[in-house]
Structure formats: structure tokens, C-alpha cells
Amino acid sequence: MAARLVQRCCWRHLTTFACAPAASPAALLLPAAKLPAARAPPHAPPASIHTFPSKWTADRFSVKEQEEENRNAEHKAILNLIEAATSPRELFQLGELHSLSSNQASLVVTRLSWLAAEKKLETGDVLRDERFQQLLEIVDSQISQVWNNTLVNLLKSLYLLGMESSSREMQSVEHEVLWRLRRLTFRQLASLAEFLAVKQGKESKLLSEVIRKLELRWTELEGTRTVVMLIAKVGHMSPVLMDRLEDKALELAEQFSPEDIRKITLALAYQNRRSVPLLRAMSYHLIQKHSELNLGVLMDLIFAYGKLNFHQPQVFQKIATDLQPHVSAMTPVEVTRCLRSFALLKWLSLPLCEAISQYALDNSKQLSVSHLCSIIMSFARLNFQPSGSEDFFNMAHEELQGQLDSLEPQLLTDLVWSLCVLQQAKPPYLQRVLAPNFHSGIRGDPSPRAQNLRMKLIQINAAAKLESPEYQGPFLPAEMLSAAEPAAEKVTLLQSSLREALAGVLGSQDNGRWDVHTIYGWHIDAEMVLNSENKPLPLKDFAAPHLPFSEGTKPLPPGARRIAFLRWEFPNFSNRSKELLGRYAMARRHVQAAGFLVVDVSIQPSAPCAS
């Protein structure tokens, strides 16, 4: 603009001399008032019209500038035609009617890709069209003149159209993008990384280079949208980049919408990254700023928290409260999914569980056997008994009748074990899993899956003996009850504190047992026998029916009692709510039924249980 202004001012002064007729030297010496009037030559333009040298136009712009202006106008017109095209035929006609630049040809290809996806066209027909090949030749001939953003979109479009990565045109575009990576903006790099992560995965050489550039330029990262997208789509491919993204997300946590929080927590869950500071920050802002959450966000949040085993009582309470009104309209898959997540978190919301039990009663015909089994197993994990317990379990027994043979061994074992926890296991269930032909396949199998199955069968066997007097057999063989004990776990602070406290009480090591593995499948942290005067007695002298092999044979003296110490070490439950965890509740019942007085040992947690 400044240059044009100077040019116009100069020509305004110069045209006076350029347009006036030549004067004699004498005339130049005369005063201005005495200068003779200029006489217009023949065919001269009117005096009001200035004549300019040929390289200047009437509006005082250079021919070069005018040509560029005309090209810009033509470019805008072609852009409008490309955007207005509604079919591949219209786009191909542009190439026939206009001399397209490489950049314009790239835009046509991008529009073709969009139309093919929008109208579900056969991309093979587009790729085989000669006019499409001509567009690619134009692009390839002057690919260095394609604008950066257009080049990135061109690469995406060729992938979406299904062009072979081995083709010369595709390789040419990829190489040009690779060459220009340093000149691309961070947003363009992020967009390209997202696309390649979905389309090609970790095997893409180009994606590896793009991620390396993102790692180096992470300080340019800004905006919640880019952060959320990279965490969700690209972060799992680079731990270094993911660390940077988590730091940036922590800074932007206050700006995240519920949808952003949903995407980030899901990404963390799928990557199994338990970023406690970030999860805490998002949980805080979720409670403080977002009063209403839709069903999809609620479902995904509780799933992610469950998978990460991240406990945030206020968030759980909010999710459970917000979910309850939606239960009646949810699908069986949604119901079982959210209940399973709460069960994994060991978080009991009585109103929500009551609503789900009523849902099961109202929709019993829509529930598949696997859905019903999932609900029962989740209730067992929380030791939840519906207020309409009789109606619920009558419905469950009716629906499960005749379906046990169709269940896989693992699912059938989990179902019967859960019914034992809830004290609802009837003889047909027990007979099915305790039959020799059912458990013969896991004998001698050292795999963790088989060992877990064996332990649950032992606990089912204990429930059949101790809590089901009407059950007459079969039972597990003795050699299965005395099978290899589980590997010793690391001693916890609570266990070491218990041993220190009991050492002074027992007086002698002979008066106590530690880490006792019973034939009932339950672990007792410490065991002792007290006489009628509450003094410890040597354990090796007395019979121990709860052990596979007993050192002594004497019965307990009159008034003596067996004491069992059971460790309660679940930080998400208060000391008053031990009955909420089904596994612990069943262990406690069985140990009591075996003749022990149970002493619960726990550390008072900071987070109370929900009710």
C-alpha cells in the first residue's frame, strides 16, 4: 500500500510535464503568467484525460499487479465452483474447462474424496477415471507449489479414496509431506497424526516422524481440542508425548467440558495410565462446574474409573445419583456395564442397585442369560440383597433353569460362587459344579486361570458343607482340597503390625499360627486357642479339622475357643461396612461356621462408604 501511494504521488507531479507540449528554451525562462497557451495537437485526447506510459493502467496499478489481481479473482471463482460442486462429473468438468494449478487440482481431489464419503460412491470408479489421473499428473508435476494445508488434506483424501500406498503419486505426496514437516504448523501436525494413527497405526514411517516433531514442538501445544484429540488418538503411541500431554491437560483441566473429560478418562483407561493428579483435577472440576451429565458421559466415566481402580467418592455418588433416573430406559448392555463398573470399584449405591433389581424384574424376558449372570455376580461382589429378594431370585432361578449346561465352565463357576455369596445356591447348582466330570479338567493345570477356578470350587464346596444342610453331594475329593497353596504375597503393613501386636500376647510361637490356608479356601491371617481363662494354649496339641493335615488329635478343653484374625484391607470401605464386600462376608461366615470366633483387623480408612 505504501509503495502504491508513493507511485501515485510521483505520477501526479510527473504527468504535468509528460502531458504538456514541448516548450522552447526561451519560453522556459518566461514567468509563468506569460507562458503561451499550449495548443493541442491533432487527435490528442481531451485536456482532462492524462496520458500515461504504456506500462501503467488507468487506475495507476502496474500490469503485473493487475494480472495478479485477475488471477486471484479467477482463483476465487474456481474455489467457489469446487465448493459448489455436487458430483464428481462437475469436478472433472472444471479440469476440462479451466487450466488448473497444482493447488487447485489438489482441492478438486479433496472435494472428490468428500463427495465419495458423503454420497457413499464407489471410490474405485473415481480412481480409474482418466480425468482423475490427469488431476494427479497436474499435482505431481508441480507438487512443490501446493499449499501446506492443501497438501495435508490431499494426503488424507488419497488415503480415504483407497489409493495404493505403493503408487507413484501417493509416494510423491507422502515424500513431499515428509519434506515439509518442519514447516507445518503444530495444528496441522496434530491433525495429520490423528488421521495416520487411525488409518495406518504404528507401522507408518510418516506417523513416526510426525510424532517425533510433536515431541520436539510440544511447547506450541495450546487449546483443549488439540490436547484432548492427541491424548485420545495419538498418546498411546509415544510415552514421551503422553507425559507432555498429561502435563498440558493438567493446566487446562478447568476448561474441559464433560465430553473432554470423558474422552481423556477413557484414553487413560485404555492405556492403563493411572495419572492420579490429572484424574483428581478433572474429578474436582466435574463436580464443581458441571451439574448435569448425559447418559453416555456417565457410563463412560464410571467404566474408566473402574478400569483404573481410581476412587473418588464424590464423583461416584454423583454418577450413581444421575444414573438412577435413566435406569428404566437403559438397555440390558448399559445396565450390566454400569453395575459391573460399580462392583469393580466396590462402591454400593443402594438406590441405584434397587433400581437395577427392579429393572431386571420388569425386563426379565429381554435379559439374556449372560446379562442376568452379570447382574447376579455384581450383586454378589457388593453383597447386595434386593428389598424384593425373594421375587428377584425366584425370577433368576426360573430364567436360569435348563440353561446351566450352555454356560462356559468359568462363567458357570462364577455364577454358582456368587449365589453362594448371596446364600441363594440351590442343590442343582452345587451338584453341577462339584461333579467329578466338571472339575477333572483343571487338576494338575498350573495356569493362573485354572488355579483361580480351583479356589472358587473349594469355596463353593465349603458353602455346600457349612451352609447347605439339604445338599447331599457330591463334594470335592480330599486331594483337591490339599492342592498346592497359592504363592505367598508380600507382607503388608497391617499384617506386620498384627504379628507384632500378637507376639507379646501369645508369649510363644507355639501358641499361634500365621498365614493359615484352610480346606475351605479361605486365608486366616492369624489363629490362636484360648482356654476358659483366656490364656493361649499350644496349637499343635489339638486337632485342627480346618487344615488339610492336623498335627494334634486332642479335642479342645471345655470352655476353650478358637480365635481367627481376618484382615480387612480395602481402603474404600469403612470399618462399619465390612458386610458390603461379598467375598469377605462369605469368608467370615464360613470361618465362624467352622467353630472360630472371628476378629476383624483393619486400618480405619479416610474415605467412608457410600450408602
Side-chain angles (χ1 to χ4, degrees):
M1 293 298 294
R4 292 181 180 177
L5 183 59
V6 171
Q7 290 172 350
R8 292 180 182 180
C9 292
C10 292
W11 278 106
R12 181 170 295 176
H13 291 286
L14 291 175
T15 49
T16 304
F17 300 98
C19 298
S24 63
L28 291 175
L29 298 175
L30 293 174
K34 295 185 178 182
L35 283 176
R39 184 176 296 177
H43 311 293
S48 61
I49 301 179
H50 300 295
T51 58
F52 297 93
S54 60
K55 75 171 188 174
W56 293 89
T57 60
D59 61 353
R60 301 181 179 88
F61 287 92
S62 68
V63 173
K64 182 178 179 182
E65 289 175 335
Q66 184 66 31
E67 290 175 354
E68 187 172 346
E69 190 74 17
N70 292 338
R71 282 198 301 270
N72 289 339
E74 183 182 1
H75 179 71
K76 291 178 182 178
I78 293 177
L79 281 183
N80 292 335
L81 291 174
I82 293 174
E83 293 177 0
T86 58
S87 67
R89 182 177 60 83
E90 294 179 19
L91 291 171
F92 287 140
Q93 285 179 347
L94 286 176
E96 297 173 349
L97 299 176
H98 300 273
S99 178
L100 300 179
S101 67
S102 59
N103 193 72
Q104 292 167 342
S106 301
L107 293 172
V108 171
V109 174
T110 301
R111 181 66 177 178
L112 278 169
S113 171
W114 185 87
L115 287 176
E118 183 72 13
K119 299 190 175 184
K120 297 180 174 57
L121 303 177
E122 180 58 47
T123 57
D125 296 338
V126 176
L127 294 175
R128 287 189 294 269
D129 196 294
E130 293 183 1
R131 294 167 293 183
F132 180 79
Q133 296 299 323
Q134 292 173 359
L135 291 173
L136 294 182
E137 290 176 3
I138 295 173
V139 172
D140 188 53
S141 64
Q142 297 178 331
I143 194 168
S144 61
Q145 298 181 17
V146 179
W147 299 350
N148 288 346
N149 197 60
T150 306
L151 183 66
V152 172
N153 290 333
L154 172 64
L155 179 64
K156 295 179 184 178
S157 300
L158 294 178
Y159 276 123
L160 292 174
L161 287 171
M163 177 167 282
E164 292 291 336
S165 58
S166 59
S167 65
R168 182 179 60 83
E169 294 84 358
M170 176 67 85
Q171 291 183 353
S172 174
V173 175
E174 285 186 344
H175 290 161
E176 184 67 22
V177 172
L178 189 62
W179 182 258
R180 290 199 211 176
L181 285 182
R182 295 180 62 182
R183 287 183 281 167
L184 297 182
T185 65
F186 191 92
R187 188 179 295 273
Q188 289 169 342
L189 287 173
S191 173
L192 185 58
E194 176 191 15
F195 181 85
L196 294 174
V198 174
K199 284 295 179 182
Q200 291 192 324
K202 294 183 178 180
E203 303 302 322
S204 171
K205 176 184 177 183
L206 179 58
L207 177 58
S208 300
E209 292 298 324
V210 172
I211 291 177
R212 188 173 293 110
K213 289 294 185 293
L214 291 173
E215 292 173 354
L216 295 174
R217 297 170 56 182
W218 71 273
T219 54
E220 302 175 33
L221 181 60
E222 58 183 15
T224 58
R225 182 180 180 276
T226 305
V227 173
V228 173
M229 180 273 292
L230 288 176
I231 288 177
K233 301 293 181 62
V234 186
H236 65 283
M237 297 185 177
S238 169
V240 174
L241 179 61
M242 192 63 183
D243 290 339
R244 307 300 189 195
L245 293 172
E246 287 180 2
D247 293 341
K248 194 66 178 180
L250 191 57
E251 295 178 16
L252 301 174
E254 187 176 0
Q255 304 176 29
F256 287 147
S257 67
E259 185 64 22
D260 293 335
I261 295 175
R262 180 189 73 86
K263 291 179 180 178
I264 293 176
T265 52
L266 279 179
L268 294 175
Y270 289 136
Q271 298 176 40
N272 201 26
R273 290 182 67 100
R274 199 170 183 270
S275 179
V276 174
L278 180 56
L279 289 170
R280 283 178 178 170
M282 292 190 298
S283 299
Y284 173 80
H285 293 296
L286 188 71
I287 295 296
Q288 296 296 320
K289 297 176 59 179
H290 306 292
S291 57
E292 294 184 5
L293 303 175
N294 62 49
L295 179 61
V297 172
L298 293 170
M299 295 285 295
D300 287 341
L301 283 178
I302 195 61
F303 165 78
Y305 280 105
K307 195 170 189 306
L308 293 171
N309 194 28
F310 180 75
H311 297 279
Q312 197 70 23
Q314 289 181 323
V315 176
F316 297 166
Q317 190 63 52
K318 176 177 176 55
I319 293 176
T321 302
D322 290 355
L323 273 175
Q324 186 183 345
H326 294 286
V327 170
S328 59
M330 290 165 64
T331 64
V333 173
E334 291 172 336
V335 169
T336 54
R337 182 187 174 200
C338 82
L339 182 59
R340 183 167 58 247
S341 297
F342 277 107
L344 288 173
L345 291 164
K346 309 182 190 73
W347 182 266
L348 176 64
S349 171
L350 291 175
L352 179 63
C353 288
E354 287 287 1
I356 291 176
S357 66
Q358 187 60 47
Y359 175 93
L361 285 170
D362 296 338
N363 300 273
S364 59
K365 300 305 178 184
Q366 285 72 43
L367 290 175
S368 66
V369 173
S370 60
H371 292 149
L372 184 57
C373 290
S374 179
I375 291 175
I376 293 173
M377 289 187 291
S378 296
F379 282 171
R381 189 176 179 88
L382 297 171
N383 199 27
F384 170 73
Q385 295 282 355
S387 57
S389 179
E390 184 176 354
D391 293 336
F392 176 82
F393 286 108
N394 285 341
M395 177 274 296
H397 294 317
E398 182 180 346
E399 295 297 325
L400 292 172
Q401 187 175 5
Q403 300 292 332
L404 299 182
D405 291 336
S406 64
L407 301 180
E408 295 181 354
Q410 183 68 54
L411 178 57
L412 178 58
T413 303
D414 290 340
L415 172 64
V416 178
W417 183 88
S418 299
L419 290 173
C420 290
V421 169
L422 298 170
Q423 296 180 286
Q424 297 291 334
K426 294 185 175 181
Y429 297 99
L430 301 173
Q431 290 171 348
R432 184 68 183 83
V433 297
L434 296 178
N437 61 346
F438 182 82
H439 54 75
S440 59
I442 65 172
R443 292 186 187 179
D445 188 347
S447 67
R449 180 185 178 92
Q451 292 303 312
N452 179 64
L453 187 64
R454 181 186 68 84
M455 189 59 64
K456 286 193 172 182
L457 288 176
I458 293 175
Q459 292 163 2
I460 292 172
N461 188 73
K465 284 185 175 181
L466 301 174
E467 297 185 322
S468 301
E470 71 279 8
Y471 180 70
Q472 301 300 317
F475 295 97
L476 295 180
E479 61 270 16
M480 193 169 180
L481 301 180
S482 60
E485 298 178 353
E489 299 178 354
K490 183 179 179 181
V491 177
T492 66
L493 176 62
L494 182 57
Q495 285 177 301
S496 60
S497 300
L498 175 62
R499 293 181 182 182
E500 291 177 7
L502 289 180
V505 176
L506 294 175
S508 171
Q509 290 293 329
D510 294 336
N511 294 338
R513 289 194 185 99
W514 312 98
D515 298 327
V516 182
H517 295 275
T518 68
I519 62 173
Y520 307 120
W522 302 113
H523 174 83
I524 297 176
D525 291 280
E527 174 191 356
M528 60 188 298
V529 173
L530 299 179
N531 61 17
S532 57
E533 297 178 356
N534 291 329
K535 293 182 179 181
L537 301 175
L539 292 177
K540 63 180 181 180
D541 296 336
F542 304 106
H546 57 288
L547 298 179
F549 305 100
S550 177
E551 298 179 81
T553 57
K554 296 180 182 179
L556 292 181
R561 294 167 296 171
R562 291 186 184 273
I563 310 295
F565 294 86
L566 295 184
R567 173 170 41 105
W568 176 260
E569 212 164 7
F570 300 96
N572 211 37
F573 285 76
S574 64
N575 194 42
R576 62 179 173 80
S577 60
K578 291 183 290 294
E579 70 277 8
L580 292 180
L581 189 60
R583 181 184 182 87
Y584 188 89
M586 183 160 69
R588 203 174 191 279
R589 293 199 313 263
H590 289 179
V591 173
Q592 285 178 327
F596 284 85
L597 177 64
V598 176
V599 177
D600 304 306
V601 183
S602 64
I603 296 177
Q604 185 65 32
S606 57
C609 175
S611 60

